Amino acid sequence: MSDSSKTWAGVVCGIAAGALWGLVFLAPELVRDFTPLQIASARYLAYGAISAALVAPRWRALTESLGGPHWRGLFRLSFLGNVLYYVLLANAVQLGGMAMASLVVGMLPVTVTLIGSRDPGAAPLRRLAPSLLLGAAGVACIAGQSLGGDDTGTQSTRLVGLLCAVGALVAWTAYAVENARWLARLDHVSAYDWNLLAGLTTGALALLLVVPAWTLGGRSHAPAAWLRFMGVASGLAIFASIVGNALWNRMSRLLPLTMVGQMILFETLFALVYAFLWEWRLPTAAEGLAMILVTASVLSCVSAHHSPDVEKAEAASAHF
């Protein structure tokens, strides 16, 4: 596969992953009667169970080459990128609204790209500057539009939501960087299998959440609410965790880390689209502009990675 084909295949995987991950923003709103810890425990128990069923036929062959460092890495990634991130994100959505959560996730491309710019063969920051500025402008449009019309909640509640959002930013930045570097080192494990192994470790961690989730947040729910909750948790496990994470891992192997950061913008974009469909309305002028800026940001980043200087740097890195 040529470098150009790999790049565009990675972009397509990133778009598809963003489309599925955008669903996680709606989930806390769909089941507001349940706590973020309850949503996380149910989602990741389902993720673990499905992963166990899918990986069982190939368990021995898959794990023969994995040692203690690999499993410790999987547990660390599962905690940062799944359990901790989603608990904080769900709290941010419920306490500060989707606008706050969108703002934080929209900043992830900046943090991941800045870290990735130090990697060998990465595009220099001066070439990434237009992409970062376009992305930041898109996020500003999204945040300004959403925050401007949000008058619910007290100042203390908003502050807690903001702190949760900042924590989610830190957790997922660490996850995205470390996961991409693990995938670069593990040629013998496919992106799909790495995701299933992460599902096993995430499910194990979710077992630790069950008792606090359902004792501290215990309350009665109607049968219809339980059905909706189980449907949302199962849907997130299948579409966001199994399929979405597999697409993300595949993308992480096809693209440099500086481009991996840019792909997170699509999660924000699709989260907005789903919000428009849920509220049954068209985007405002500011929201439409944000979508254009997000798209331009990614295209600019792709262009930066196909410049002659970057291609020479990547060739030299591959040679050594």
Side-chain angles (χ1 to χ4, degrees), residues 151-230:
D151 57 359
T152 61
T154 63
Q155 289 296 323
S156 60
T157 300
R158 290 172 184 271
L159 178 59
V160 174
L162 175 61
L163 292 176
C164 289
V166 172
L169 169 66
V170 173
W172 217 91
T173 299
Y175 164 81
V177 172
E178 186 173 351
N179 187 58
R181 289 173 176 168
W182 268 110
L183 287 167
R185 295 195 297 266
L186 293 171
D187 294 335
H188 59 287
V189 179
S190 71
Y192 174 73
D193 287 334
W194 184 250
N195 180 42
L196 294 182
L197 293 173
L200 294 178
T201 54
T202 302
L205 290 173
L207 289 172
L208 303 177
L209 299 179
V210 172
V211 173
W214 297 100
T215 55
L216 300 178
R219 53 180 293 188
S220 59
H221 301 283
W226 278 110
L227 287 174
R228 185 171 63 252
F229 174 74
M230 289 187 289

Side-chain angles (χ1 to χ4, degrees), residues 4-76:
S4 179
S5 298
K6 287 177 60 176
T7 297
W8 287 109
V11 170
V12 170
C13 288
I15 293 172
L20 294 173
W21 283 356
L23 296 171
V24 305
F25 285 85
L26 275 179
E29 294 290 348
L30 294 174
V31 288
R32 289 193 69 89
D33 291 342
F34 294 85
T35 68
L37 204 58
Q38 290 170 341
I39 300 170
S41 65
R43 170 190 176 180
Y44 292 128
L45 282 174
Y47 179 25
I50 296 170
S51 297
L54 293 174
V55 82
R58 296 173 292 109
W59 172 256
R60 180 168 296 182
L62 183 59
T63 57
E64 280 180 350
S65 59
L66 298 180
H70 301 98
W71 288 107
R72 286 191 293 273
L74 281 165
F75 271 102
R76 186 166 56 252

Side-chain angles (χ1 to χ4, degrees), residues 38-304:
Q38 290 170 341
I39 300 170
S41 65
R43 170 190 176 180
Y44 292 128
L45 282 174
Y47 179 25
I50 296 170
S51 297
L54 293 174
V55 82
R58 296 173 292 109
W59 172 256
R60 180 168 296 182
L62 183 59
T63 57
E64 280 180 350
S65 59
L66 298 180
H70 301 98
W71 288 107
R72 286 191 293 273
L74 281 165
F75 271 102
R76 186 166 56 252
L77 289 171
S78 296
F79 176 71
L80 288 172
N82 289 324
V83 177
L84 180 61
Y85 169 73
Y86 192 66
V87 169
L88 291 171
L89 177 65
N91 271 293
V93 169
Q94 291 190 346
L95 297 175
M98 288 184 67
M100 185 70 72
S102 296
L103 172 62
V104 170
V105 172
M107 290 302 295
L108 280 166
V110 177
T111 56
V112 174
T113 300
L114 287 175
I115 294 174
S117 66
R118 300 178 180 179
D119 285 4
L125 280 177
R126 60 185 175 79
R127 291 192 177 275
L128 294 172
S131 177
L132 293 173
L133 290 174
L134 287 167
V139 170
C141 289
I142 294 169
Q145 170 71 26
S146 301
L147 292 173
D150 185 9
D151 57 359
T152 61
T154 63
Q155 289 296 323
S156 60
T157 300
R158 290 172 184 271
L159 178 59
V160 174
L162 175 61
L163 292 176
C164 289
V166 172
L169 169 66
V170 173
W172 217 91
T173 299
Y175 164 81
V177 172
E178 186 173 351
N179 187 58
R181 289 173 176 168
W182 268 110
L183 287 167
R185 295 195 297 266
L186 293 171
D187 294 335
H188 59 287
V189 179
S190 71
Y192 174 73
D193 287 334
W194 184 250
N195 180 42
L196 294 182
L197 293 173
L200 294 178
T201 54
T202 302
L205 290 173
L207 289 172
L208 303 177
L209 299 179
V210 172
V211 173
W214 297 100
T215 55
L216 300 178
R219 53 180 293 188
S220 59
H221 301 283
W226 278 110
L227 287 174
R228 185 171 63 252
F229 174 74
M230 289 187 289
V232 168
S234 300
L236 288 177
I238 295 170
F239 295 107
S241 295
I242 296 291
V243 182
N245 288 3
L247 288 166
W248 181 266
N249 286 344
R250 176 60 177 161
M251 178 214 64
S252 295
R253 277 191 163 156
L254 293 171
L255 302 179
L257 189 54
T258 45
M259 281 194 70
V260 168
Q262 295 295 313
M263 295 300 105
I264 306 171
L265 283 169
F266 282 108
E267 183 180 6
T268 304
L269 181 62
F270 278 101
L272 283 173
V273 171
Y274 299 147
F276 301 149
L277 293 174
W278 181 253
E279 297 172 5
W280 201 244
R281 66 179 178 86
L282 294 173
T284 64
E287 290 163 342
L289 178 59
M291 293 180 185
I292 295 172
L293 289 169
V294 165
T295 303
S297 172
V298 175
L299 292 176
S300 174
C301 189
V302 171
S303 177

